Structure formats: structure tokens, C-alpha cells
């Protein structure tokens, strides 16, 4: 065994006999002075040439951590020796040790992070060679720690991020190394960095943004690549947005090669994703800039996706998708849009061509690629387009629908099997620039608005039904509904969950009206109806969820007409609870309000309904109509309504307000319900008469109700 080791040792000695001699002196040192002198010699030898891992380990075995620790913390230097020389020696030894990844993660190195961080901002002679060497060694240590698995977390906790920010902003020696290390830490642990050092990082962002706005050389393209990493997860300072927009306007307004243009497009996409259009100034300059952005993005998408056989730069195209999505939002905005109507018309035409390229790309996607993030990003932009426009490219969209249903089903089933519901409701951001092998996502939520439009049209609806979309939507609705049920913290759910549920209800409403036979024969709708019946009673009591309750109530009432013969609708506790909750929703929409100087009150919206009536009124009228249709089909419903006192209270309300304050459509809706209840049940008629029903009917010219109540 010894014979195997000796040649290796002899080789090490022959390579660096000077180092071996200094290590021997270090081992034989009898006091601090001799050890200090030997360490200086060892450090000099290490800096003079490269050493291998074995030699580095031998230095560590000879030195250890004890003496470097003392050098870093000592406050008394020998006579004639500047105090920073001792620290520089200690840092040089640590830098040597940190070249070994195992030593870089050693607790004795990690606990030096706060001390090392202070060296980055320490004052001193900027021309002092020893101080410069110490700063270089400090960055070497910190960079080595950052390269270990848990290193970034330790650096952030040790205050390194703030120190790096201050070092960069001070523009002293090594500030470029500070920026490089900051970039690495932000890439590895962005959230933690911002949590620990937001003010300092914002100061760096301000400096970079100002440099970007002023840059006239190639550095502006380098800054394009750096700046996305420094955009905060919260609000971007307005002065930064101004500088970034001005810099991007100059870059993108020039004739550029792809390597110059692509980083600018990616920066613009990050700003669009973080701030929408708030970073673009109003007025002519802003509208021209936005039009330019969308134009460039559409051209890039077409070039990348229309040519088969070319390698797609997925990160660039995904950034262009984000800019197209911004264009879609601005083109559909009615108030305070940055774009004028001629610009909107032109951009819609250009985006249509780009969406055609996206559809062409998706038609080529095989099963092996369906889990790739870029495919998801492509489906996302198509979903954003279909949410606003389904009339153009109708043939191409219909041809793609089978793929979209299969794709959404694949991602849904994968997430369901993994029981990863949190992934389903996570806020979906722009695809990462370096996609992983798989990226599960809630594709259905992205497609729901477009499918809502398409289910109104005969052709697309038939394709969706044939491909099994209704069954998939029922499963999805029930799964998402589970997230809002008792036992789940609904406060942490994004708004997209509730919006998705509402959109599902709209799709089901379309199917109830246009494909009633499907509702009757497909078992998934029976399960859906059971969920609606059991959920509505609690939902109508929850503050702030009235719009969702309106969707559930109206959908349930319309489905109840079609499923009236099913056992579940024959006066079961669930069905009675559902209709009681539906009556609560319908009956609380309007109240009487006294008016100054008048003996009669007027009919007004109740406070909870008033703020959302524009979104609610169509559902309310449809719900009233559906309830009216259910009364003759469910014999138990009229007595139940009578016990709730809805017909009596409705007549009392109408009798207490001025008839002129009740709009004709409201009179028609109220009369429809009252007439059917009166026709269905003798006790209802008697109760209405006792509530001055005939007189009220006469005042409101409700001829059908007046005639019904006049009959025995």
C-alpha cells in the first residue's frame, strides 16, 4: 500500500517542491509568528501556480480552520502590519479551501458568510493590491458556496444579497463580480432574495434601468439579458418602467439582428407579464410602441412556426406569445385603450395570421410532445385568442378541436392521478426560458372562455360533444368545486378558480339550451346536478360569492326542468334545500326604498346585488324563468314556496312601492312566478288573495295573475 502512495507523493513534490518546503515549515511552526510567516509563504506558493485537489486537501490538513478563523476575526495586528493583511491571508486560505466543493459546504466556511459579506463593502484604499486580492478571494469563496446545493440559502440568510447590492452600487473594485453573483442568486432563489433584500435589489434595478436608458453601445443588449432577473415579484417602480420602456423603444425601433432583438423581446414580455400595459405611456408614442411590439412578436411567431424543419427558439416565441396576449387585451379594451380603432383593426389582422401559425404548429404535435411547456404556452395563446375571437379561422379551429380536447384531458388526468390539486390552481406564468421535461398545467382553464363561445355554434358544439368535452368539463367542474368546499382554505385560492367555475356554468347553460337531450342521457350531468343541489344552500350564505351563486342557482334550475322525472328531484332533502336556496337568491335582489317628499317607496336593487347587477341580471331573469318552468313539473315545489313565504312577501313588496318604479321586464318576471304558483296550488291562490293579490295585479296590469286569482 505504501509503495502505491509514495510515487504519487514524489510526483506532487516534484511538481511544486517550494510548496512542500513551506508546508513542512508550517507543520514545524512553534508559535503564532512562525505559523503566520509560514502561512504567508504557503499562500504565495498557492497563488503562484495551479494546484490539484489532493494538494489542496493536504494544505487544508496542514492548516485546518482554526488559524484562518483567528486571522479573520483578529483586531490586533503585529507592529508594522496593516490589519487587513491578516484578514486577506485568512480569506486567501478559505478561497483555496473552497475550491473543493466538499469544503465549500463545510459549516466552518458557511459560518464565515456574514464576515465575508462585510469585506465587500469595507472602506479602504482602492489601489491597495492586498485589499484588491482580498476582495477577489472573497468573491471566490462566496461563488464557491453559491455553487453548493444549499449554498444560496445560506448566502441569503447571511446578508450576502444586500452586501452584493451595495458593492455593485458603489462601483468599487470587483463590482462586476458582485453583479454576476447577484444574477446567480436571483436565478437560484428569486423569492428568498427579494424577501431578504428588497430595498437593496430595487436600488440595483433603478441603477440598471437608468444605465439601460442611457446606453448607446453594445452594453444595452447585455442589460436586456440581465434586467428580467431584477424585476421584483411585486410592483416595479414607475421610474424604472419609464427608463425600461424608453430603452426598449430605441432598441426595437432600430434595424437589428436576431441576437440583438430577441433579448429585448424577452424583456418586454417580462414587463408585459408583470405590469400588463401600465409600463407603456399613453398617447401617440405609446400606441406606436405597443403596435410595434405586437407586430414584431407576430412576425417572429410566423417565422418560427410556419417553416417546418427549422429549430424553434421556444423561449423567444413564448415571449412573443406574451406580447401577443397583451395585444389581444388592448384590442378588446373599450375604455382607456392605448390603441386607436385603425390600429386595433390592423393588429387583429396581423395577430390572426400569427394564430394561424400557432394552429399549424399544434396540428403537428404528437403524443410524445404533449407534456412540453412550449406546447402548453402555444395552447395558452390560442385560448386567449379564442376567448375574444372565434369567427375567424373557424375551419382551422374546428379541425384542431379534437386535439385540444385530448390535450386538455391528458393534462387533467395526469394532475388528477398525481393528486396535485395545488398545481391545478396555481397562477400560470410565462413558460420558463429553460423548460423542464414535463410541466403539468391547467389547460382546461385556458380553453374554457373559447369553448363557451364555441358551444353556441352548431358545428363546433357537435365536435366538442363527439370528443367527450362535456364529460371532461363535468369532471373538471367537480374537481375544482372540491377546492372551494368546507375544509379548504378558499382565501388562498386565486380568482381564476372561481372564474373558471363560472365559465363552466356558462358552457353548461349553453348545452342545456342547445343540446337538452345530452343533459338527459349523459350520467355526468346527474352527478353535476347532485353537486349543485348540495352546494347552493351554503354558497348563497357566503359573502362575496353572489355571482358564483347566481351561476349555480340558474344552471341548477334549468337542469331541474330537464331532470324533473329523476328520483333526486322528487322532494328529496337535497332538492328541497336547493330550491329553498334558489328562492333566497331570487327573492333578495330588490328592496323598497323610501324617497324624500313622496308617500310611496320605489323598487331598487339590494346593496349586495347593486354593484354586480350588470353581470348578474341576465342570470337572475333566466333563473326566474327557469323556476317558473319547474313549478308545474314538481308538484311539491308550490307548497314549498308557500312555506318560504316568497309569494306573500313578493306581493307585499310590490304593494309597498310605486308601480312606476318597477320596470316592465321585472313585472313580467314576477307575474310569471306568481301565476304558475297560483295555478299549481289552491293554498297559494288563497294566500295571494289574502295579501291583496288581485288589487296588486290590477295596479301592475298583471292580467294573467288577476284572472288566475279571480278563479275559485
Amino acid at each position: 500500500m505504501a509503495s502505491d502512495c509514495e510515487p504519487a507523493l514524489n510526483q506532487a513534490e516534484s511538481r511544486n517542491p517550494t510548496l512542500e518546503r513551506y508546508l513542512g515549515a508550517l507543520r514545524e511552526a512553534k508559535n503564532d509568528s512562525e505559523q503566520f510567516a509560514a502561512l504567508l509563504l504557503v499562500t504565495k506558493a498557492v497563488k503562484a501556480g495551479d494546484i490539484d485537489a489532493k494538494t489542496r486537501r493536504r494544505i487544508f490538513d496542514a492548516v485546518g480552520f482554526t488559524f484562518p478563523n483567528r486571522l479573520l476575526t483578529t483586531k490586533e495586528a503585529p507592529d508594522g502590519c496593516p490589519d487587513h493583511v491578516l484578514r486577506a491571508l485568512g480569506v486567501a486560505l478559505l478561497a483555496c479551501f473552497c475550491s473543493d466543493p466538499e469544503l465549500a459546504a463545510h459549516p466552518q466556511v458557511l459560518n464565515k458568510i456574514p464576515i465575508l459579506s462585510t469585506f465587500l463593502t469595507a472602506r479602504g484604499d482602492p489601489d491597495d493590491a492586498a485589499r484588491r486580492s482580498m476582495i477577489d478571494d472573497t468573491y471566490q469563496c462566496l461563488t464557491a458556496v453559491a455553487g453548493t446545493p444549499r449554498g444560496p440559502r445560506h448566502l441569503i440568510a447571511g446578508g450576502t444579497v444586500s452586501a452584493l447590492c451595495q458593492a455593485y452600487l458603489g462601483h468599487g473594485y470587483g463590482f462586476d463580480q458582485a453583479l454576476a453573483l447577484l444574477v446567480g442568486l436571483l436565478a437560484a432563489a428569486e423569492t428568498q432574495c427579494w424577501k431578504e433584500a428588497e430595498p437593496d435589489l430595487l436600488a440595483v434595478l433603478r441603477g440598471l434601468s437608468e444605465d439601460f436608458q442611457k446606453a448607446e453601445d453594445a452594453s444595452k443588449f447585455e442589460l436586456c439579458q440581465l434586467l428580467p432577473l431584477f424585476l421584483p415579484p411585486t410592483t416595479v417602480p414607475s421610474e424604472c418602467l419609464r427608463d425600461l420602456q424608453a430603452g426598449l423603444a430605441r432598441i426595437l425601433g432600430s434595424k437589428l439582428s436576431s441576437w440583438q432583438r430577441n433579448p429585448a423581446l424577452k424583456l418586454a414580455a417580462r414587463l408585459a407579464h408583470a405590469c400588463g400595459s401600465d409600463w407603456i405611456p399613453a398617447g401617440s408614442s405609446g400606441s406606436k410602441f405597443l403596435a410595434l411590439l405586437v407586430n414584431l412578436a407576430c412576425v417572429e411567431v410566423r417565422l418560427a412556426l410556419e417553416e417546418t424543419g427549422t429549430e424553434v427558439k421556444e423561449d423567444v416565441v413564448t415571449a412573443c406569445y406574451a406580447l401577443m396576449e397583451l395585444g389581444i387585451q388592448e384590442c378588446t379594451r373599450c375604455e382607456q385603450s392605448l390603441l386607436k380603432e385603425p390600429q386595433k383593426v390592423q393588429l387583429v389582422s396581423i395577430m390572426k395570421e400569427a394564430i394561424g401559425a400557432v394552429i399549424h404548429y399544434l396540428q403537428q404535435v404528437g403524443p410524445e410532445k404533449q407534456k412540453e411547456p412550449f406546447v402548453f404556452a402555444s395552447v395558452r395563446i390560442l385560448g386567449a385568442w379564442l376567448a375574444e375571437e372565434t369567427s375567424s379561422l373557424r375551419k382551422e379551429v374546428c379541425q384542431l378541436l379534437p386535439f385540444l380536447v385530448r390535450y386538455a384531458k391528458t393534462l387533467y388526468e395526469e394532475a388528477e392521478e398525481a393528486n396535485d390539486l395545488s398545481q391545478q390552481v396555481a397562477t400560470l406564468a410565462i413558460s420558463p426560458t429553460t423548460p423542464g421535461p414535463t410541466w403539468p398545467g391547467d389547460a382546461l382553464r385556458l380553453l374554457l372562455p373559447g369553448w363557451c363561445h364555441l358551444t353556441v355554434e352548431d358545428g363546433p358544439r357537435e365536435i366538442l360533444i363527439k370528443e367527450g368535452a362535456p364529460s371532461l368539463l363535468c369532471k373538471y367542474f367537480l374537481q375544482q368545486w372540491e377546492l372551494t368546499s368546507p375544509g379548504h382554505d378558499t382565501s388562498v385560492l386565486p380568482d381564476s378558480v372561481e372564474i373558471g367555475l363560472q365559465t363552466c356554468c356558462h358552457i353548461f347553460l349553453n348545452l342545456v339550451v342547445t343540446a337538452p337531450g345530452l343533459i338527459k342521457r349523459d350520467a355526468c350531468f346527474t352527478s353535476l346536478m347532485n353537486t349543485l343541489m348540495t352546494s347552493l344552500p351554503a354558497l348563497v350564505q357566503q359573502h362575496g360569492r353572489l355571482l358564483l351563486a347566481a351561476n349555480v342557482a340558474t344552471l341548477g334550475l334549468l337542469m331541474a326542468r330537464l331532470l324533473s322525472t329523476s328520483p333526486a328531484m322528487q322532494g328529496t332533502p337535497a332538492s328541497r334545500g336547493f330550491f329553498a336556496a334558489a328562492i333566497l337568491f331570487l327573492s333578495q335582489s330588490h328592496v323598497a326604498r323610501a324617497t324624500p317628499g313622496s308617500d310611496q317607496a320605489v323598487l331598487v336593487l339590494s346593496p349586495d346585488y347593486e354593484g354586480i347587477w350588470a353581470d348578474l341580471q341576465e342570470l337572475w331573469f333566466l333563473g326566474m324563468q327557469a323556476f317558473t318552468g319547474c313549478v308545474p313539473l314538481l308538484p311539491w315545489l308550490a307548497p314549498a314556496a308557500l312555506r318560504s313565504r316568497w309569494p306573500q312577501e313578493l306581493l307585499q313588496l310590490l304593494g309597498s312601492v310605486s308601480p312606476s318604479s318597477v320596470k316592465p321586464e321585472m313585472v313580467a318576471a314576477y307575474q310569471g312566478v306568481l301565476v304558475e304558483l297560483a295555478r299549481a296550488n289552491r293554498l297559494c291562490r288563497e294566500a295571494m288573495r289574502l295579501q291583496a293579490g288581485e288589487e296588486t295585479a290590477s295596479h301592475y296590469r298583471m292580467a294573467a295573475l288577476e284572472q288566475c286569482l279571480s278563479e275559485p
Side-chain angles (χ1 to χ4, degrees):
M1 193 72 179
S3 61
D4 293 334
C5 294
E6 286 173 2
L9 182 61
N10 290 337
Q11 285 180 351
E13 291 178 352
S14 62
R15 280 199 303 270
N16 200 337
T18 303
L19 176 61
E20 294 302 321
R21 188 166 63 253
Y22 295 162
L23 285 174
L26 180 61
R27 285 190 291 268
E28 295 172 4
K30 297 181 176 58
N31 52 50
D32 284 355
S33 297
E34 292 181 3
Q35 192 171 23
F36 175 64
L39 279 173
L40 285 174
L41 295 173
V42 168
T43 304
K44 181 179 179 181
V46 169
K47 288 183 177 294
D50 295 331
I51 58 173
D52 56 25
K54 290 183 179 179
T55 305
R56 190 183 307 113
R57 177 62 73 161
R58 292 180 64 229
I59 295 173
F60 171 72
D61 291 339
V63 177
F65 280 115
T66 302
F67 199 66
N69 289 349
R70 291 172 58 192
L71 291 172
L72 290 172
T73 58
T74 185
K75 296 182 179 179
E76 296 183 1
D79 293 339
C81 178
D83 56 357
H84 71 267
V85 171
L86 299 181
R87 292 195 295 271
L89 177 57
V91 176
L93 289 169
L94 281 183
C96 174
F97 299 160
C98 286
S99 301
D100 184 333
E102 183 179 343
L103 292 179
H106 195 284
Q108 287 284 357
V109 172
L110 299 179
N111 65 21
K112 303 300 182 300
I113 290 174
I115 299 175
L116 293 172
S117 298
T118 63
F119 295 163
L120 301 179
T121 56
R123 295 181 178 180
D125 183 359
D127 297 324
D128 189 312
R131 187 175 294 279
R132 289 191 170 206
S133 178
M134 183 179 73
I135 292 174
D136 286 335
D137 289 337
T138 299
Y139 281 118
Q140 184 177 338
C141 291
L142 297 175
T143 302
V145 172
T148 63
R150 305 181 67 152
R153 189 184 72 174
H154 289 291
L155 290 173
I156 294 167
T160 303
V161 176
S162 291
L164 291 171
C165 291
Q166 293 166 25
Y168 173 75
L169 293 170
H171 276 66
Y173 179 77
F175 78 98
D176 52 337
Q177 298 181 69
L179 184 62
L181 187 49
L182 265 179
V183 168
L185 290 177
L186 284 167
E190 178 186 15
T191 302
Q192 293 87 337
C193 286
W194 280 100
K195 184 178 179 181
E196 290 294 326
E198 180 173 346
D200 294 303
L201 285 169
L202 286 176
V204 173
L205 174 61
R206 290 186 181 95
L208 291 174
S209 301
E210 188 176 349
D211 292 344
F212 179 62
Q213 192 271 335
K214 294 178 179 178
E216 298 290 347
D217 55 11
S219 65
K220 59 187 176 184
F221 303 114
E222 298 173 2
L223 286 169
C224 273
Q225 295 177 326
L226 287 178
L227 278 163
L229 289 167
F230 287 89
L231 295 178
T234 54
T235 305
V236 182
S238 58
E239 64 270 25
C240 296
L241 293 178
R242 285 194 300 270
D243 287 341
L244 293 173
Q245 189 276 329
L248 283 171
R250 282 208 307 273
I251 291 177
L252 295 174
S254 306
K255 188 175 181 179
L256 303 170
S257 60
S258 59
W259 73 267
Q260 295 170 322
R261 180 177 60 253
N262 291 345
L265 290 174
K266 289 162 72 173
L267 173 58
R270 283 295 304 272
L271 288 168
H273 185 69
C275 310
S277 60
D278 292 343
W279 60 288
I280 301 175
S284 175
S285 63
S287 63
K288 289 179 180 179
F289 174 71
L290 176 57
L292 174 64
L293 274 182
V294 179
N295 263 296
L296 290 173
C298 290
V299 170
E300 193 69 34
V301 168
R302 291 188 63 188
L303 288 174
L305 301 184
E306 286 182 347
E307 298 180 14
T308 56
T310 59
E311 183 179 355
V312 177
K313 295 180 180 178
E314 296 181 352
D315 56 336
V316 177
V317 177
T318 301
C320 292
Y321 286 165
L323 297 175
M324 287 175 59
E325 195 166 340
L326 178 63
I328 293 170
Q329 292 169 1
E330 285 299 315
C331 284
T332 54
R333 180 179 293 181
C334 297
E335 297 180 358
Q336 296 182 333
S337 174
L338 292 171
L339 300 170
K340 297 179 180 179
E341 283 304 315
Q343 291 175 311
K344 291 182 179 181
V345 173
Q346 183 182 19
L347 285 183
V348 167
S349 176
I350 294 170
M351 287 190 289
K352 174 184 172 181
E353 295 176 348
I355 291 296
V358 174
I359 293 175
H360 172 75
Y361 165 76
L362 290 174
Q363 287 171 336
Q364 320 302 317
V365 172
E368 73 282 356
K369 288 189 174 183
Q370 287 193 8
K371 297 176 184 177
E372 293 183 2
F374 181 66
V375 175
F376 187 93
S378 301
V379 171
R380 175 191 172 105
I381 187 59
L382 178 59
W385 173 265
L386 293 177
E388 306 295 343
E389 173 58 60
T390 56
S391 59
S392 61
L393 300 171
R394 182 175 302 180
K395 179 181 177 181
E396 292 82 354
V397 170
C398 286
Q399 291 174 343
L400 190 65
L401 279 179
F403 164 80
L404 293 176
V405 175
R406 291 193 301 270
Y407 177 76
K409 185 178 181 181
T410 298
L411 265 63
Y412 168 79
E413 290 178 345
E414 178 175 286
E416 186 180 54
E417 291 171 4
N419 197 29
D420 185 13
L421 295 182
S422 62
Q423 185 71 37
Q424 291 288 340
V425 299
T427 302
L428 291 167
I430 300 173
S431 304
T433 54
T434 309
T438 60
W439 192 44
D442 187 355
L444 259 175
R445 182 178 64 81
L446 305 177
L447 294 170
L448 288 177
W451 286 8
C452 186
H453 298 314
L454 292 171
T455 47
V456 177
E457 305 176 24
D458 292 340
R461 181 177 63 252
E462 290 174 4
I463 296 172
L464 289 170
I465 292 174
K466 180 182 177 181
E467 295 297 329
S471 176
L472 175 61
L473 288 169
C474 283
K475 293 177 182 178
Y476 177 77
F477 180 90
L478 296 176
Q479 180 209 61
Q480 295 289 288
W481 188 267
E482 187 65 26
L483 296 171
T484 68
S485 62
H488 291 82
D489 185 3
T490 57
S491 64
V492 300
L493 292 177
D495 293 339
S496 59
V497 174
E498 191 149 316
I499 294 173
L501 289 170
Q502 292 176 23
T503 310
C504 280
C505 287
H506 295 165
I507 295 175
F508 295 141
L509 285 170
N510 290 341
L511 294 175
V512 167
V513 174
T514 60
L518 175 70
I519 308 300
K520 294 179 180 180
R521 69 173 180 266
D522 199 321
C524 71
F525 288 100
T526 301
S527 299
L528 175 62
M529 186 67 202
N530 290 335
T531 298
L532 299 179
M533 289 195 299
T534 57
S535 303
L536 186 61
L539 184 61
V540 294
Q541 304 289 345
Q542 296 177 20
H543 180 71
R545 307 190 74 190
L546 181 57
L547 193 54
L548 180 59
N551 278 276
V552 171
T554 304
L555 175 61
L557 290 169
L558 285 168
M559 290 180 63
R561 289 195 308 181
L562 300 176
L563 302 174
S564 61
T565 59
S566 69
M569 301 303 300
Q570 307 311 310
T572 60
S575 62
R576 289 180 180 274
F578 169 78
F579 275 94
I583 288 173
L584 193 64
F585 159 66
L586 296 171
S587 65
Q588 293 186 339
S589 61
H590 291 76
V591 294
R593 178 183 298 168
T595 55
S598 176
D599 295 336
Q600 279 191 308
V602 294
L603 189 73
V604 297
L605 287 165
S606 60
D608 289 341
Y609 288 66
E610 187 174 12
I612 58 173
W613 186 246
D615 298 319
L616 198 64
Q617 61 176 337
E618 186 177 353
L619 290 168
W620 186 87
F621 281 108
L622 194 56
M624 290 287 285
Q625 181 183 350
F627 185 92
T628 302
C630 287
V631 173
L633 299 175
L634 302 172
W636 60 268
L637 183 54
L642 183 62
R643 285 192 296 272
S644 74
R645 295 193 53 79
W646 184 27
Q648 301 96 309
E649 291 174 356
L650 178 52
L651 287 168
Q652 183 181 6
L653 175 65
L654 291 173
S656 67
V657 300
S658 169
S660 63
S661 69
V662 186
K663 295 179 180 179
E665 60 268 25
M666 295 293 301
V667 173
Y670 286 146
Q671 178 176 224
V673 169
L674 291 170
V675 167
E676 287 301 331
L677 290 174
R679 286 174 178 170
N681 186 269
R682 178 181 57 83
L683 295 177
C684 279
R685 290 195 297 275
E686 293 177 358
M688 290 182 194
R689 292 190 189 106
L690 292 173
Q691 196 62 51
E694 291 178 272
E695 182 181 352
T696 301
S698 176
H699 286 162
Y700 285 88
R701 298 181 180 180
M702 296 180 178
L705 178 60
E706 191 173 3
Q707 180 181 351
C708 184
L709 293 180
S710 66
E711 298 173 354

